[in-house]
């Protein structure tokens, strides 16, 4: 490598590292800013036990906290199996062809839709077309539409990134293609798949527009609703944050901004804890599968 190429290489590395440091510092500043602003609410007991009160001060996030995890789990139960099977099909069975490429392009196009469009689509398909009403199930199905393209792409890329000698070795030893997928490829791709699930869950945590139309129809769940029925309406923390930042009357709900800051801080802390927990569980699972 000549001197000019070496200098260019070092400059590129410095720029990339500098951008990385700026990005991490920006992320840390956002997290610290949100936590400091919401700290007053975070250490108030009623913030976690009471229900929101759009007509006065002293709101809490009890029902919204429950609904957030409920819709998250329900949407993951619907999304992960479908995305996994579709990704396996595209990576291992579909091959190439006009129809496969058309379906793949349609999936990628679906991923670019704004979430508010998906919310309106979900309201028309899962609520109006079924003569139903906004519910946690409809919200989870809307999140399925949002997350499914990402899940398929992540599964497909994770399987394609595995060295082909693993696949060929398994087939050469007499394993069927399905046995190769389930016993060789999926365990090897597990770290990437876990990262994908974390990304999809993070999207479900923070999604507001789609759930606003399909889960609550703009109404705040004021009563403490902790039922496990998927057919009940319910808003999440992100929807609650939107409502109190945009809809609450300053003269009536005097602590609306303070409450919204607390919800934002709680959301970011939940996402951080969820990510750390999922990565820890994934690391343990990979170690056990690989016999470490």
């Amino acid at each position: 490598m000549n001197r000019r190429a070496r200098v260019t290489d070092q400059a590129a590395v410095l720029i990339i590292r500098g951008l990385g440091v700026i990005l991490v510092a920006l992320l840390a500043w956002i997290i610290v800013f949100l936590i400091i602003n919401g700290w007053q609410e975070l250490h108030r007991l009623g913030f976690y036990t009471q229900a929101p009160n759009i007509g006065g001060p002293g709101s809490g996030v009890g029902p919204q906290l429950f609904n957030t995890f409920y819709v998250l789990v329900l949407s993951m139960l619907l999304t992960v199996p479908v995305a996994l099977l579709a990704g396996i099909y595209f990576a291992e069975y579909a091959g190439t062809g006009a129809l496969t490429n058309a379906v793949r392009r349609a999936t990628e196009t679906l991923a670019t839709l704004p979430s508010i469009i998906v919310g309106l689509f979900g309201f028309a398909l899962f609520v109006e077309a079924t003569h139903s009403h906004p519910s946690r199930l409809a919200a989870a199905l809307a999140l399925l539409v949002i997350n499914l393209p990402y899940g398929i792409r992540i599964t497909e890329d994770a399987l394609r990134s595995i060295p082909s000698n693993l696949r060929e070795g398994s087939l050469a030893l007499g394993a069927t293609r399905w046995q190769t997928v389930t016993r060789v490829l999926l365990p090897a791709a597990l770290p990437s798949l876990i990262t994908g699930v974390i990304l999809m869950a993070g999207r479900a945590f923070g999604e507001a527009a789609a759930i606003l139309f399909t889960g609550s129809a703009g109404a705040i769940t004021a009563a403490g609703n902790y039922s496990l029925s998927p057919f009940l309406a319910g808003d999440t923390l992100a929807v609650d944050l939107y409502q109190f930042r945009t809809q609450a009357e300053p003269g009536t709900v005097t602590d609306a901004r303070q409450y919204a800051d607390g919800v934002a801080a709680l959301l970011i802390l939940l996402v951080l804890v969820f990510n750390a927990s999922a990565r820890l569980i994934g690391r343990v699972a990979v170690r056990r599968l690989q016999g470490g």
Side-chain angles (χ1 to χ4, degrees):
M1 185 183 294
N2 58 36
R3 188 171 180 276
R4 184 176 179 182
R6 198 179 307 121
V7 170
T8 305
D9 182 64
Q10 290 174 347
V13 171
L14 279 176
I15 291 171
I16 291 171
R17 285 181 178 172
L19 290 174
V21 170
I22 292 172
L23 190 62
V24 171
L26 181 62
L27 182 62
W29 179 78
I30 292 173
I31 293 171
V32 172
F33 177 81
L34 290 174
I35 292 175
I36 289 175
N37 279 352
W39 184 249
Q40 194 172 345
E41 290 291 293
L42 287 179
H43 71 271
R44 181 170 64 87
L45 181 61
F47 180 67
Y48 303 96
T49 57
Q50 296 173 357
N53 178 19
I54 198 72
S59 290
V61 296
Q64 281 66 30
L65 191 58
F66 177 79
N67 285 333
T68 299
F69 280 99
Y70 187 93
V71 173
L72 171 68
V73 172
L74 192 58
S75 69
M76 288 295 104
L77 288 176
L78 294 171
T79 306
V80 171
V82 179
L84 197 61
L85 291 174
I88 290 172
Y89 175 76
F90 279 124
E92 300 296 324
Y93 293 93
T96 57
L99 180 61
T100 303
N101 292 335
V103 173
R104 192 174 280 124
R105 246 180 258 119
T107 306
E108 290 170 354
T109 304
L110 189 63
T112 63
L113 288 178
S115 58
I116 194 166
I117 301 298
V118 176
L120 290 170
F121 168 77
F123 181 78
L125 183 63
F126 305 129
V127 178
E128 286 200 332
T130 59
H131 304 289
S132 182
H133 56 80
S135 65
R136 298 161 174 167
L137 179 60
L141 289 170
L143 290 175
L144 165 69
V145 176
I146 291 174
N147 277 329
L148 189 59
Y150 296 103
I152 293 173
R153 171 56 69 184
I154 288 167
T155 304
E156 190 178 355
D157 289 344
L159 293 176
R160 288 186 187 280
S161 66
I162 296 172
S164 58
N165 56 354
L166 278 179
R167 187 180 288 101
E168 292 165 359
S170 176
L171 294 172
L173 289 172
T176 63
R177 183 176 284 190
W178 181 246
Q179 287 172 329
T180 300
V181 169
T182 55
R183 299 181 186 180
V184 178
L185 301 184
L186 284 181
L190 196 57
S192 301
L193 296 177
I194 290 172
T195 302
V197 171
I198 292 171
L199 291 174
M200 289 191 293
R203 184 82 187 264
F205 256 124
E207 182 55 48
I211 298 176
L212 187 66
F213 289 106
T214 56
S216 64
I220 287 182
T221 309
N225 180 7
Y226 300 100
S227 168
L228 291 177
S229 172
F231 302 106
L232 291 178
D235 59 333
T236 61
L237 288 173
V239 176
D240 199 32
L241 173 61
Y242 167 77
Q243 296 279 16
F244 272 82
R245 288 293 287 179
T246 59
Q247 307 297 317
E249 293 290 340
T252 306
V253 190
T254 53
D255 62 346
R257 178 165 185 174
Q258 176 185 319
Y259 172 73
D261 288 342
V263 175
L266 181 61
L267 258 177
I268 198 75
L269 287 174
L270 286 175
V271 170
L272 288 175
V273 171
F274 180 84
N275 284 4
S277 305
R279 288 188 187 280
L280 181 63
I281 294 170
R283 203 171 300 162
V284 172
V286 170
R287 201 174 298 160
R288 288 190 177 178
L289 284 170
Q290 294 177 348

